[in-house]
Amino acid sequence: MGEQGLSNLERRYRRLLRVLPKWYRRDREEEMVGLFLADRTDELDLEHGWPGWGETAAMFGLAVRTHLAAGAAFTNVPAKVVWRGEIVRALGMIGLLLGVFFAGAAITQLAVAYGNPAWAPEISWWRLLEIGPIVAFAALLGGRRTLAKVSALAPVLLAVASLGEYRYVLLWSAFQVPSLVTFVCLCLGFHREAPTPPARRLLWWGGGAVLLGVLGGFASGLGLIVVGLVTVAMRVVAFVRGDFVLGRALSLFAVLQLAPLAFLLVGGEALVLALPIVVLLVFSALAPVRKPRLS
């Protein structure tokens, strides 16, 4: 439909609808515009009116759900859209497992500091926020998505809290980049139409991440190296199995690990181990992913 003969309000509604994917607008745009304009018949409103804040918010929420579609919530969804949503959800879950690993390491460090008066002044109470990913993981598997998203954001607040301790700002900020990306992926990917992750299978991964973190808390940097090795190994498995979603998510996850490992290289910690892991992660990020056939 051309722009000629349309009211300014209708033009604005049609512009707002452009946040939706073409495949969704193709069958629903005219119906949606008609519903928006049904009760707005005043000539002055048609000339100078704008879409309401509630309508705009609802439209952006619908845009997220349609661009990252899941399950049978929508019909005639292109395969690439379904894959995109699955990749975002997979990246969110992988990042959350990394957060669970960091939480395990934090538990060790807090326990050691609590039992050692010489270390206690170095531990601030707000470091308890580092345990947030464990709460987020359990909440997400239990279907409590709002609690999961709020809890996943908790570690990111460490970078803000560290502003009072300038020595740690850059370090903690680099380590919280994966947490921030995880929070964004959880918010975008686990919308109301998205399925709840399979708890039985993921509980084993979550328990392993906590255990690995607890052990890694005793050896600074070693846990990150193990996580890097696991990422590379799983990336190879995903390629061999032809798992496009897991492979793409792991490629992105490999990039997120480079910043924390860079600090190990700059600081000279575990240099002999960290450098090969960085190289392998770069290769994992750049390596091709077997693309499934488009339907």
Side-chain angles (χ1 to χ4, degrees), residues 23 75-83 295:
W23 63 267
T75 58
N76 301 320
V77 182
K80 64 180 181 180
V81 175
V82 177
W83 296 334
S295 58

Side-chain angles (χ1 to χ4, degrees), residues 123-147:
I123 303 298
S124 301
W125 65 268
W126 43 260
R127 282 205 62 189
L128 292 173
L129 292 173
E130 290 183 270
I131 305 175
I134 295 179
V135 178
F137 185 77
L140 186 59
L141 296 189
R144 303 181 66 180
R145 302 186 182 193
T146 301
L147 176 60

Side-chain angles (χ1 to χ4, degrees), residues 224-225 228-229 232 254-255 257-266 269-286:
L224 281 176
I225 292 172
L229 283 173
V232 173
V255 174
Q257 294 181 63
L258 293 178
L261 283 169
F263 274 94
L264 295 183
L265 294 176
V266 173
E269 298 181 43
L271 181 61
V272 175
L273 294 175
L275 184 58
I277 297 301
V278 169
V279 173
L280 288 173
L281 287 173
V282 171
F283 179 78
S284 298
L286 298 178

